[in-house]
C-alpha cells in the first residue's frame, strides 16, 4: 500500500537538540528546554491543522535520569509549570493529553500530569501521547510482566500489543528526529516496526512548520509495502 492510499494518523517526534540549541547561544541548557516546550505547542497545533489525530512527543526518557541533578530538577519543575500555567492552551484547542511511561515519578509531577489527563480526556481535536519517563525496553518488559500476572500466553505479536502502554492508539506512521542523530534512543522499539523515519539536522527549538511539512510530504511520497512487494 502506498502512503498516498493511507492517511497519516500518528506522527511522532524525538525532540532532540535543546541543550545544543542553548550552547550555540552561550546560554545554560535550561534555556533550550524552555524553548523546546514552546516549540512543542507550535508543533501540536501544526499537526492539528493537518488533521492528524495523534501526535507523540518523546519528552523524557528513563535514561535521562542520569543527567546532572540540577538539569533533571529543572525539567521536573518545567513540566509542572507548563501544565499549571498553560492548561488554557489545551482547553482552547481541545487537545487531549495522555501520559505513556513509567508512573514512578515525583509525586508533584505525576499529579500535574494526571490532572491535565483527567481534564482533557473528552477533548477530540488531537491526542498528544506524552512519552515521559518512557523507554521502549521498559514498555516491552512491563507488557510481559502484566501478561504473566494475567496468565496470558504470548502466542503472537498481537497478544503483547494489547499490553503495551500504547495499546489504545495506532502505531506511529512517521517518526521525525531532530538534531541529525540517526538512532531511535530506546523509543517505541515495538511500535516502530513499520514506521517511516525522517531525520533533520535542525535542532528541536528551531524546527519550522515548513520542515514538518517536508517530513509529511516525504511520508506521502514513500511506498509502504509492510514486508510485501
Amino acid at each position: 500500500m502506498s502512503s498516498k492510499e493511507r492517511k497519516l494518523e500518528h506522527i511522532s517526534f524525538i525532540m532532540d537538540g535543546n541543550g545544543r540549541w542553548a550552547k550555540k547561544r552561550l546560554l545554560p541548557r535550561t534555556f533550550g528546554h524552555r524553548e523546546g516546550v514552546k516549540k512543542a505547542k507550535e508543533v501540536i497545533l501544526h499537526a492539528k491543522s493537518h488533521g492528524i489525530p495523534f501526535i507523540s512527543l518523546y519528552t523524557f526518557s528513563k535514561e535521562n535520569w542520569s543527567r546532572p541533578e540540577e538539569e533533571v530538577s529543572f525539567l521536573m519543575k518545567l513540566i509542572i509549570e507548563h501544565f499549571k500555567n498553560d492548561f488554557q492552551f489545551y482547553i482552547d484547542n481541545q487537545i487531549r493529553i495522555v501520559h505513556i511511561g513509567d508512573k514512578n515519578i515525583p509525586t508533584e509531577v505525576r499529579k500535574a500530569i494526571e490532572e491535565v489527563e483527567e481534564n482533557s480526556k473528552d477533548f477530540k481535536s488531537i491526542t498528544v501521547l506524552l512519552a515521559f519517563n518512557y523507554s521502549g525496553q521498559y514498555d516491552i518488559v512491563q507488557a510481559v510482566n502484566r501478561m504473566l500476572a494475567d496468565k496470558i500466553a504470548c502466542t503472537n505479536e498481537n497478544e503483547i500489543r494489547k499490553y503495551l502502554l500504547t495499546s489504545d492508539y495506532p502505531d506511529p506512521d512517521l517518526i521525525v528526529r531532530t538534531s541529525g542523530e540517526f538512532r531511535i534512543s530506546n523509543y517505541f522499539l515495538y511500535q516502530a516496526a513499520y514506521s517511516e523515519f525522517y531525520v533533520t539536522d535542525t535542532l528541536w527549538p528551531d524546527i519550522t512548520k515548513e520542515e514538518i511539512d517536508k517530513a509529511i510530504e516525504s511520508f506521502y511520497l514513500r511506498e509502504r509495502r509492510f514486508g510485501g512487494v
Side-chain angles (χ1 to χ4, degrees), residues 68-98:
E69 184 178 346
E70 182 181 355
E71 182 175 353
V72 171
S73 178
F74 175 83
L75 288 168
M76 296 303 110
K77 291 175 183 175
L78 183 61
I79 194 164
I80 294 168
E81 173 189 301
H82 169 64
F83 282 136
K84 285 187 175 179
N85 296 340
D86 286 347
F87 183 60
Q88 192 63 41
F89 165 79
Y90 297 98
I91 294 175
D92 291 344
N93 294 288
Q94 294 290 287
I95 298 165
R96 183 186 179 195
I97 295 290
V98 176

Side-chain angles (χ1 to χ4, degrees), residues 167-181:
S167 60
D168 293 330
Y169 310 100
D171 290 342
D173 299 298
L174 174 64
I175 297 177
V176 178
R177 177 158 193 156
T178 56
S179 86
E181 302 290 351

